[in-house]
Every structure is written in C-alpha cells, then in structure tokens.
C-alpha cells in the first residue's frame, strides 16, 4: 500500500470532464464578449474614422477583381486603382441620382393617388366614412409636417451633408490606397504580429477578407438580377420611372431583407399611384416572385461558396448595426458578420485538423 504523496499525474481531477469544459467555454464567452464590447465602443467613439475605413474595405472587396484585371493587363497600379475608384464614383453617383430624380418626379403623384384612394374608400364604406376621412386628413397633415421637417432639416443640415461628403471622399481615397498597397498591407501585418504568428495572422486576415469579398460579390450579382427583373416587369406594366425603381432595388439589396422590403414597397406604391389597384397588384406579384426566386434559387446558387449565415443571425446583425449606427450600421453589419464567420470557419478547420493529427499519432 502506497503511503507517500500521490504523483501529480496519478491524482484524480478535481472537477469532472463536463464541468471543466463548461468552465473553459464560459471563460471563452466572457473573453469574446469583452472583445466585442471593446470593438463596438471603439467604433462608436471613433465613428468618423471607422466608417470610411469600413466603406473602403467593402469597396476593395467588391472591386478587387476589376483592379487585378487591370493590373494583369499591364496597367500601372496607381492608374488601375484610380480607374477603379472613378468607376465607383460614376456608378454610385449615377444610381443615387436616378433614384432621387425618380422619387422626386413621382412624389406628388403618389400623394395624389393616396388621397384619391382614401376618398374612394370613404365612398365605398359609408359607415366608416368619417374615420377614413379623418385618417386621410391625418395622413395629409403628417405628410405636410414631415415635408416641412425635411425641408428645414435640409436647410439647417449643411454640416451633416458636409460630413457625408467628407466621409465619401475619404472612403474613396482609402479605397485607392487599399487597392494599390495591398501587398504592403500583408507585409505590415507580418511585422506587427507577435513573433511566430505572422503567418497565422495573414491566413486569418485573408480568410476574413475572402468572406467579405464573396458576400459583396454575391450580393451585387443578386441585386443586379433582382433590379433587372423588377425593372423589366415595371416596364411591361408601363409604370413611370421603372429604371429608377430598379436602381432603388439594386441599392436597397445591400441591406438584406429590409432593403428589399422597402424598395419593393416603393415600387408597388408608384405602380398604385400611376395605374391604381390592378397595376399595384401586378407589381406586388412581380416583387414577391422576384423575392421567392432570390430566396430559393439565387441565394443558394450564387452564395453557395461563401459564408452561409442563418437568417436569424442576419436579422440580429441588422438590429445591432441599426442600434449602433443607423442605416450605415445596417449596411456594414452583415458583411462584417460574414468576416467573423469566415475566421471562425478557418479556426474550426484548423482545430479539427489538429485533433485528427493528435488522434492519428506519430506515423
């Protein structure tokens, strides 16, 4: 019978296996929560700096293939980056101008059609005529107040407009440097990483960027198909400004679910303003058919090679982004979540590979 102290290797564990795993998982969750909280605080505090950086990063992920194609054609790197940035300005400026002019042209017609619809409802349902008239009057007052608020906001919001323009210009400049100096960025990552971890940091950064790149390219292709189908459908219905509404669908598609809902609602509203109930129902059918096509065919087929996220994760990311930075946060939250999922996928693959090597043992 052994009377001396028990060797450390033979002592029974103080906690069972499941308790140790639970403790390790809890510590990991706490660390991740702290890191996420620190990142969110940093983004909110330095939003004026973080926003153009993230926008430039998304632009580099989307337009990287165009830049690399120009470089492969023996175009100077600075010239290729400049041409890519110019393409961004032309495309985005054209799309925004088309949407704005389309909404301005049809705004009065939409309000007039809504007023006529309220009058028709009051004549059809005489019993509820008073309440419908009150509703129409209240809606008119609300629209008038909103219009006055918008006008006063535009007149007094020169600083906001200036800030938006400054953010856009800074994002374009950063996009130019991100495209031209991407090789230097990889070298800097190696020098900034702790000794021996440069290669791992590079792999993680590339995996995150690939996830963003795949998400942005897939979303752009899906947005183009959605916009084309809806614009063609509206042209067949002879809805005014069908091209502008298609451009609105294209821009709104970068905000998953909510963007498509809002842009589709605007298209149906314009169709109702021009052709009444029948045209609006046809437009609604076209929008719903395109959404079904996107959810059941385009999304699985186009984004099958990128990071797949559950719709609940996307909605949580949108809510978090909206609470932090409004519409801009909604635009940035989903691709950044895709980057996080890409890194987690890479870590999971490395962990599984390490476990397989440990199980197989030395050969």
């Amino acid at each position: 019978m052994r009377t001396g102290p028990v060797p450390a290797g033979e002592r029974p564990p103080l906690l069972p296996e499941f308790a140790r795993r639970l403790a390790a998982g809890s510590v990991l969750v706490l660390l991740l929560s702290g890191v996420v909280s620190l990142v969110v605080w940093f983004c909110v505090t330095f939003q004026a700096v973080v926003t153009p950086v993230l926008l430039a990063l998304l632009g580099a992920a989307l337009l990287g293939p165009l830049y690399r194609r120009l470089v492969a054609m023996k175009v100077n790197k600075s010239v290729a980056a400049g041409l890519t940035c110019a393409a961004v300005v032309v495309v985005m400026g054209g799309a925004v101008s088309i949407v704005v002019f389309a909404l301005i042209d049809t705004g009065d017609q939409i309000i007039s059609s809504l007023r006529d619809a309220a009058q028709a409802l009051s004549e059809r349902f005489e019993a509820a005529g008073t309440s419908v008239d009150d509703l129409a009057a209240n809606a008119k007052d609300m629209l008038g107040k909103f219009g006055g608020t918008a006008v006063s906001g535009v007149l007094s919001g020169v600083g906001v407009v200036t800030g938006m323009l400054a953010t856009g210009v800074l994002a374009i400049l950063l996009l130019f440097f991100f495209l031209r100096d991407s090789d230097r960025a990889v070298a800097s990552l190696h020098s900034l990483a702790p000794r021996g971890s440069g290669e791992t940091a590079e792999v993680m950064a590339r995996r995150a960027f690939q996830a963003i790149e795949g998400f942005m390219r897939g979303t752009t292709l899906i947005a183009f198909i959605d916009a084309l189908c809806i614009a063609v459908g509206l042209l067949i219905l002879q809805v005014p400004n069908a091209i502008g509404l298609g451009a609105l669908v294209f821009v709104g598609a970068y905000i998953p679910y909510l963007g498509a809902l809002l842009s589709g609602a605007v298209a149906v509203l314009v169709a109702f303003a021009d052709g009444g109930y029948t045209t609006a129902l046809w437009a609604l059918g076209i929008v719903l058919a395109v959404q079904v096509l996107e959810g059941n065919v385009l999304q699985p087929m186009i984004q099958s090679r990128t990071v797949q996220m559950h719709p609940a994760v996307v909605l949580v990311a949108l809510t978090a982004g909206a609470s932090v930075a409004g519409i801009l946060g909604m635009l940035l939250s989903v691709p950044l979540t895709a980057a996080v999922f890409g890194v987690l996928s890479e870590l999971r693959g490395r962990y599984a590979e390490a476990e397989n090597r440990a199980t197989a043992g030395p050969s």
Side-chain angles (χ1 to χ4, degrees):
M1 183 175 184
R2 178 181 293 174
T3 57
V6 179
E10 299 180 8
R11 293 175 185 173
L14 297 177
L15 294 175
E17 180 68 20
F18 79 91
R20 285 184 290 163
R21 289 181 176 271
L22 180 61
S26 301
V27 171
L28 180 61
V29 169
L30 289 176
L31 289 175
L32 290 177
S33 301
V35 171
V36 171
S37 301
L38 182 61
V39 170
V40 171
W41 173 84
F42 181 85
C43 292
V44 173
T45 305
F46 302 98
Q47 184 176 357
V49 178
V50 173
T51 299
V53 172
L54 294 179
L55 289 175
L57 182 64
L58 297 184
L62 178 60
L63 299 169
L66 175 60
Y67 168 76
R68 291 191 291 269
R69 179 67 61 87
L70 292 175
V71 172
M73 295 169 60
K74 307 301 181 180
V75 179
N76 181 270
K77 288 186 176 182
S78 297
V79 176
L83 291 175
T84 305
C85 294
V88 173
V89 174
V90 171
V91 173
M92 294 304 298
V96 171
S97 62
I98 290 174
V99 171
V100 171
F101 285 120
L103 294 180
I104 291 176
D105 291 341
T106 57
D108 294 337
Q109 192 175 0
I110 291 174
I111 295 176
S112 176
S113 297
L114 289 176
R115 188 182 298 112
D116 294 341
Q119 183 65 30
L121 288 175
S122 64
E123 293 176 357
R124 181 170 298 183
F125 303 101
E126 295 180 358
T130 303
S131 60
V132 173
D133 290 337
D134 292 339
L135 181 61
N138 292 333
K140 182 178 180 180
D141 293 338
M142 289 177 63
L143 288 173
K145 292 179 181 179
F146 177 78
T149 303
V151 171
S152 62
V154 169
L155 294 177
S156 62
V158 177
V160 176
V161 175
T162 304
M164 292 177 61
L165 291 176
T167 300
V169 172
L170 182 56
I172 293 296
L173 293 175
L174 289 174
L175 173 61
F176 174 83
F177 291 116
F178 284 176
L179 291 173
R180 192 192 66 176
D181 301 329
S182 56
D183 297 336
R184 296 181 184 179
V186 174
S188 301
L189 185 63
H190 275 274
S191 62
L192 294 175
R195 181 174 299 178
S197 61
E199 183 179 354
T200 302
E202 179 184 351
V203 171
M204 296 302 169
R206 288 187 182 277
R207 187 65 181 87
F209 189 77
Q210 287 173 2
I212 296 177
E213 186 177 29
F215 178 84
M216 292 298 294
R217 291 170 62 182
T219 301
T220 301
L221 182 57
I222 292 172
F224 176 76
I225 296 175
D226 288 354
L228 180 63
C229 293
I230 291 179
V232 170
L234 295 178
L235 285 173
I236 294 174
L237 295 175
Q238 297 182 351
V239 175
N241 295 308
I243 303 299
L245 294 173
L248 179 63
V249 171
F250 179 81
V251 174
Y254 285 97
I255 301 178
Y257 303 119
L258 184 60
L261 177 64
L262 294 178
S263 58
V266 172
V268 173
L269 194 60
V270 173
F272 169 73
D274 180 71
Y277 297 104
T278 303
T279 305
L281 289 176
W282 277 106
L284 178 61
I286 292 173
V287 172
L288 292 178
V290 170
Q291 295 304 315
V292 170
L293 176 65
E294 174 188 339
N296 294 279
V297 179
L298 298 180
Q299 286 280 1
M301 182 176 64
I302 294 176
Q303 292 190 338
S304 60
R305 297 183 180 181
T306 62
V307 178
Q308 294 294 311
M309 293 183 293
H310 194 275
V313 176
V314 175
L315 292 176
V316 170
L318 289 174
T319 304
S323 63
V324 172
I327 296 179
L328 187 61
M330 298 172 67
L331 175 65
L332 298 174
S333 60
V334 179
L336 293 181
T337 304
V340 173
F341 270 69
V343 173
L344 292 178
S345 176
E346 180 68 24
L347 290 175
R348 191 183 306 114
R350 287 183 165 230
Y351 179 76
E353 184 180 351
E355 275 197 339
N356 292 335
R357 286 200 302 263
T359 304
S363 54

